Amino acid sequence: MTTLSGVVLTGGVERERVRIDGDRLTFAPAAGWESGESGESPESLLGWITPGLVDVHCHLGLGPLGAIDEAATRAQADADVRAGVLLVRDAGSPADTAWIRRETGMPRLIRAGRHLARPKRYVRDYAHELDDPDDLPAAMAAQARAGDGWVKIVGDWIDRSDGAAADLRPLWTARQLREGVAAAHGHGARVMVHTFATETVEDLLDAGVDCIEHGTGMTPAQLDRAAEAGVAVTPTLVQIANFAAIADQAGVRYPRYAARMRRLHARRHEQVAAMHAAGVQILVGTDAGGLIRHGRIADEAAELVAAGVPAADVLAAATWAARTYLGAPGIAEGAPADVVVYPEDPRTDIGVLARPSAVFLRGRRVR
């Protein structure tokens, strides 16, 4: 049995200690411990204890060219666990990663199945591409059945067929979105949508989507609507930091698109500050996979603080608030022993998320 003492941050009443008993947490004292009669020499750690971190937007099993093999996926998952990420909402992968859920050393996983997009309107070999956009409802229903309660669609992407006038364009009509979201909801799944553009968002909110990924183009009025409707947003600032380089690559060939990406990059922190001010629930996601390495949750948290979100709010968004949103337990009597210990208070110094003293997954110390 391991005793973790100091400040136990639960999102509710703070505790002075919690114990790991097997693969579960308990606040109850062990018989004979106080008197020294138990005959055991339990491990004891001191610090600030939080629920395992949550990366709500990353991609296990996804590499730069699409699906990767099991060994490479294990390396991604291990990087997450060592960073204290013990729960992942996978935001779309071309690989079947259901096997991760059977592995004790892997983070707990909530899968969204494959991204849904249209031909030549997303990264090649990442998504299930629909030749007929009217097939969206059926495809969303299929992904709802294949995943773990989430469906991921691509809301907008550059349409290169417009030549020099190419820019971000919605992939689906308002009707297709309404029918698609209804189909996913009918199968008990929630819907997350990739969107960079402003002009996509009204139709998404009208359709009743549950979570917006990136949200770089959302206006103040759209943020107010999202907050009122309880639509969460995952800003993925680690990813948005690449927008200037993406604009440079677009260069002279797609000047309109390049200009927009530069604008979105320049105001990325201002955008997140507006989200927070509007009362939108902000989630913490790195968009790892593809070209971004896994294990960068501390970088994303630091970016959110740099944007003006208080460190205490960022910590909540990365731990107990995200777990509540996803329907996963945090620190509670009898809950799974997935916790992280820090040497300093992350509510005052978010940078300490990069320096965990210990990480416990399923009761076993993994760092």
Side-chain angles (χ1 to χ4, degrees):
M1 183 176 286
T2 301
T3 299
L4 307 177
S5 302
V7 183
V8 182
L9 301 171
T10 66
V13 177
E14 293 180 11
R15 303 273 191 155
E16 293 183 355
R17 65 177 57 84
V18 66
R19 293 188 173 94
I20 297 174
D21 188 0
D23 64 353
R24 296 286 156 174
L25 297 173
T26 181
F27 298 115
W33 275 32
E34 303 300 331
S35 63
E37 297 175 355
S38 68
E40 300 180 15
S41 299
E43 181 181 11
S44 181
L45 291 172
L46 180 67
W48 281 260
I49 300 100
T50 73
L53 303 181
V54 184
D55 191 334
V56 301
H57 185 125
C58 69
H59 307 276
L60 291 167
L62 176 67
L65 301 179
I68 57 176
D69 63 20
E70 185 175 306
T73 302
R74 286 181 182 276
Q76 291 179 334
D78 184 64
D80 287 330
V81 168
R82 289 190 56 77
V85 172
L86 307 183
L87 174 61
V88 165
R89 182 186 67 169
D90 193 289
S93 177
D96 181 358
T97 57
W99 60 270
I100 291 175
R101 300 175 65 187
R102 300 187 294 271
E103 299 279 337
T104 58
M106 300 286 99
R108 298 184 193 272
L109 177 64
I110 297 172
R111 297 163 47 252
R114 295 197 69 174
H115 311 69
L116 295 175
R118 292 172 58 188
K120 300 182 179 179
R121 298 294 306 280
Y122 194 53
V123 182
R124 185 177 179 181
D125 295 327
Y126 278 24
H128 175 58
E129 299 176 349
L130 305 183
D131 293 321
D132 184 348
D134 280 338
D135 290 340
L136 182 65
M140 291 180 72
Q143 291 303 318
R145 292 190 295 268
D148 301 324
W150 282 92
V151 174
K152 166 71 176 295
I153 68 171
V154 178
D156 50 59
W157 197 255
I158 183 174
D159 187 350
R160 294 179 178 83
S161 66
D162 289 339
D167 199 354
L168 296 173
R169 308 277 189 229
L171 271 66
W172 323 100
T173 66
R175 175 186 59 80
Q176 290 161 355
L177 287 170
R178 287 195 306 271
E179 294 176 358
V181 171
H185 286 173
H187 283 79
R190 289 187 278 179
V191 178
M192 66 175 103
V193 185
H194 160 111
T195 174
F196 294 153
T198 299
E199 50 269 40
T200 311
V201 178
E202 292 297 329
D203 287 346
L204 297 179
L205 295 174
D206 288 345
V209 302
D210 302 282
C211 193
I212 288 178
E213 309 304 304
H214 317 301
T216 51
M218 296 178 75
T219 66
Q222 291 168 345
L223 292 173
D224 288 342
R225 281 195 66 188
E228 183 177 358
V231 177
V233 178
T234 314
T236 64
L237 285 172
V238 168
Q239 176 64 278
I240 308 310
N242 296 318
F243 276 18
I246 292 172
D248 290 343
Q249 292 172 2
V252 177
R253 189 173 184 185
Y254 305 117
R256 187 171 177 178
Y257 168 73
R260 189 195 302 231
M261 299 301 278
R262 288 192 180 97
R263 290 195 302 271
L264 297 178
H265 176 265
R267 66 180 307 276
R268 64 194 187 281
H269 286 168
E270 177 185 345
Q271 180 72 349
V272 170
M275 291 175 185
H276 185 258
V280 170
Q281 180 171 6
I282 293 174
L283 302 173
V284 183
T286 62
D287 208 359
L291 296 174
I292 296 177
R293 66 177 175 82
H294 281 254
R296 294 191 61 189
I297 192 78
D299 293 339
E300 182 67 23
E303 278 288 288
L304 291 168
V305 171
V309 182
D313 291 349
V314 173
L315 178 66
T319 54
W320 52 81
R323 288 174 172 273
T324 297
Y325 181 78
L326 294 173
I331 293 179
E333 182 68 36
D338 298 345
V339 293
V340 187
V341 183
Y342 295 101
E344 301 167 24
D345 190 346
R347 296 172 298 179
T348 56
D349 178 12
I350 203 66
V352 77
L353 293 187
R355 306 186 301 276
S357 301
V359 178
F360 292 86
L361 173 62
R362 298 178 175 87
R364 184 173 65 88
R365 187 169 181 174
V366 293
R367 173 171 174 167

